[in-house]
Amino acid sequence: MEQTRISRLGREYIMAFALLITLVSCKDKEPEEVFEEDEFAAVIEPEELKEFGFNLNDYVVKRDTIRNGDSFGLIMERYNVGYPKIFHIAEQTKESYDIRKLQIGKPYTVLCSKDSLQQALSFIYQPNREEYVVLNFQDSIHAFTSRKPITYVEKEFLGVITSNISQTLADGGKSLLLAYKMSDIYAWTIDFTRLQKGDHFKVVYTDKYIDDTIYAGIDKIKAAYFEHKSEPFYAFEFETDSIKRLSDYFNDEAKNLRRAFLKAPVEYKRISSRYNLRRRIALYGNKIRPHKGTDFAANIGTPIRATANGTVTKSAYTRGNGNYVKIRHNSAYETQYLHMKSQNVKAGQFVKQGDVIGWVGMTGNTSGPHVCYRFWKNGVQVDPFKQKLPEAEPISDSLRTEFLEFIKPLKSKLDSINVQEAIILEGSPEDLITQLD
């Protein structure tokens, strides 16, 4: 019993001594500064989410597409804007944008107030992926059209033909638009329907991205090399007229690859009717009814392109022609494009070869979707396929030296792509594709 009491006293002594040591050591320390819990707490601002020039964090954002029966007024009513203000917005902005031109299926964004009412403050309409129209009525009412920031990324591709160029590009995960652009560039030098196995090509092109993330397709081909039947064909894009922004493709000796006219105004399925002055039609009692155009059958909505540079002299409608466009190219040549779904140009407008001037339709006297292409030489309608068409404009002597300097790095880049590494005689089609992204 006595021993237990002594042991308990020993423990108490040790604890008291330890407490005394702790108190003495704490005397020499500065008292710790005590802060309120949130005195220095970081204020985290939400990251700005910018689009169309607005910080979207400041609004309730509503996105939708134009539906059948929609109008600007109906859309605004859905977002608590009264009719008097809708009418006022339309009147104030009509000089900048016609709100009646909203198209079904096109996207729009409404920026609404951050309150229980969520009233519309701005309306943004996107007629295409790059452009947008802003109708802003937060403070003052105004409208403007702008474009989303576009980034261009240069890429390279090397392919070897195993069956056709479309298959080669598909195997390489590339857009068929690359094939269309290349067939256009080489339209007068290579027949893309008669490519041979082992033919190969190298191309330097730019892809287009909207807001750095949204892929918007191929922008243009900067340079290309095509070896067909063991014969090399270089192509380099070069601007020949900085005022009219005219560019063309030339080979490594500064010779133009094009003729003055494209062979056809559309990517067509077939020629459904050729130029024929002795054509007989059963519908008209087998009488001779001359056909002074060439009919290219194509799906409704297929883009129709100007076959050469020129000035639009007519963009109109007649009962027989339907919607049509006529272009004067120079003192000798004119072309006409009939039965359009709609036109994309106006009289007096200058167009470049390849510009979209309208879309294939069935307007006027026609039994199916096509474009009737008519061709005048010195005021007389002729068959364009039987004409010895002029060469495209050559590079002027003053630009020749500049061109040859301009293509040096591009030619070096093409030449450095080693096609031998892609040609594997016993390989599968996939083995014959090299991508250089």
Side-chain angles (χ1 to χ4, degrees), residues 78-228:
R78 288 181 205 144
Y79 295 102
N80 303 309
V81 179
Y83 179 76
K85 186 168 184 179
I86 294 171
F87 178 78
H88 191 46
I89 294 167
E91 283 295 301
Q92 290 287 100
T93 60
K94 65 182 180 182
E95 297 298 324
S96 302
Y97 186 76
D98 186 350
I99 59 173
R100 296 172 297 179
K101 291 184 177 180
L102 303 181
Q103 296 179 20
I104 295 173
K106 298 295 184 182
Y108 68 85
T109 303
V110 180
L111 305 183
C112 302
S113 59
K114 274 188 153 181
D115 54 27
S116 58
L117 188 59
Q118 293 190 7
Q119 185 180 46
L121 302 174
S122 295
F123 175 80
I124 301 110
Y125 170 67
Q126 293 176 260
N128 54 60
R129 288 196 293 181
E130 295 178 22
E131 290 183 307
Y132 60 91
V133 180
V134 175
L135 274 67
N136 194 7
F137 35 91
Q138 297 184 55
D139 300 317
S140 61
I141 297 173
H142 60 281
F144 62 90
T145 300
S146 189
R147 301 177 74 88
K148 288 197 167 190
I150 299 172
T151 304
Y152 299 93
V153 179
E154 185 178 288
K155 295 186 177 181
E156 301 167 12
F157 183 79
L158 163 63
V160 179
I161 303 300
T162 56
S163 57
N164 57 60
I165 189 171
S166 298
Q167 188 61 51
T168 297
L169 290 168
D171 289 341
K174 296 299 178 184
S175 167
L176 291 184
L177 183 59
L178 201 56
Y180 295 145
K181 286 183 177 289
M182 290 186 71
S183 65
D184 185 30
I185 292 169
Y186 289 110
W188 295 101
T189 49
I190 300 174
D191 185 347
F192 273 42
T193 65
R194 296 180 181 273
L195 296 177
Q196 299 180 347
K197 186 175 181 179
D199 285 352
H200 56 270
F201 62 92
K202 300 179 274 189
V203 59
V204 178
Y205 65 99
T206 50
D207 269 343
K208 188 162 54 173
Y209 293 86
I210 300 171
D211 283 339
D212 291 328
T213 56
I214 304 170
Y215 179 64
I218 296 167
D219 176 48
K220 64 180 180 180
I221 291 176
K222 300 173 72 174
Y225 171 90
F226 212 112
E227 189 166 310
H228 174 53

Side-chain angles (χ1 to χ4, degrees), residues 296-354:
F296 295 94
N299 293 333
I300 290 177
T302 302
I304 300 172
R305 302 182 184 278
T307 55
N309 299 341
T311 301
V312 177
T313 55
K314 287 188 178 179
S315 179
Y317 175 88
T318 63
R319 186 175 178 181
N321 294 345
N323 294 318
Y324 75 98
V325 168
K326 193 170 185 179
I327 301 172
R328 174 169 288 281
H329 303 286
N330 52 35
S331 59
Y333 295 100
E334 291 179 281
T335 56
Q336 192 177 32
Y337 313 75
L338 312 183
H339 311 307
M340 293 180 168
K341 178 183 178 182
S342 59
Q343 301 99 318
N344 193 40
V345 291
K346 297 179 180 178
Q349 183 176 335
F350 177 80
V351 293
K352 296 181 289 186
Q353 186 181 74

Side-chain angles (χ1 to χ4, degrees), residues 278-436:
R278 303 290 299 171
R279 184 179 67 165
R280 294 180 182 273
I281 302 178
L283 184 64
Y284 297 106
N286 224 29
K287 293 180 180 179
I288 292 177
R289 302 278 296 222
H291 185 235
K292 296 184 178 181
T294 304
D295 292 348
F296 295 94
N299 293 333
I300 290 177
T302 302
I304 300 172
R305 302 182 184 278
T307 55
N309 299 341
T311 301
V312 177
T313 55
K314 287 188 178 179
S315 179
Y317 175 88
T318 63
R319 186 175 178 181
N321 294 345
N323 294 318
Y324 75 98
V325 168
K326 193 170 185 179
I327 301 172
R328 174 169 288 281
H329 303 286
N330 52 35
S331 59
Y333 295 100
E334 291 179 281
T335 56
Q336 192 177 32
Y337 313 75
L338 312 183
H339 311 307
M340 293 180 168
K341 178 183 178 182
S342 59
Q343 301 99 318
N344 193 40
V345 291
K346 297 179 180 178
Q349 183 176 335
F350 177 80
V351 293
K352 296 181 289 186
Q353 186 181 74
D355 282 352
V356 176
I357 58 173
W359 296 270
V360 170
M362 288 182 59
T363 58
N365 292 339
T366 176
S367 58
H370 73 279
V371 56
C372 178
Y373 177 56
R374 302 196 171 210
F375 196 95
W376 280 263
K377 182 178 181 181
N378 296 323
V380 178
Q381 287 194 60
V382 295
D383 184 352
F385 288 97
K386 293 183 178 180
Q387 303 303 305
K388 186 177 179 181
L389 296 173
E391 298 282 346
E393 287 292 323
I395 288 181
S396 63
D397 291 340
S398 61
L399 287 177
R400 182 182 172 84
T401 301
E402 182 183 335
F403 168 78
L404 294 174
E405 283 297 315
F406 172 79
I407 70 169
K408 278 183 180 179
L410 288 169
K411 186 173 184 298
S412 177
K413 184 171 289 188
L414 287 172
D415 292 344
S416 67
I417 301 172
N418 188 357
V419 71
Q420 295 305 319
E421 294 178 0
I423 299 178
I424 304 173
L425 296 178
E426 299 300 323
S428 65
E430 290 77 11
D431 293 328
L432 297 171
I433 306 299
T434 299
Q435 295 185 67
L436 302 165

Side-chain angles (χ1 to χ4, degrees), residues 22-36:
T22 302
L23 290 173
V24 170
S25 64
C26 287
K27 275 187 177 181
D28 298 329
K29 290 186 178 179
E30 292 291 331
E32 291 189 8
E33 195 170 359
V34 179
F35 300 109
E36 291 293 328

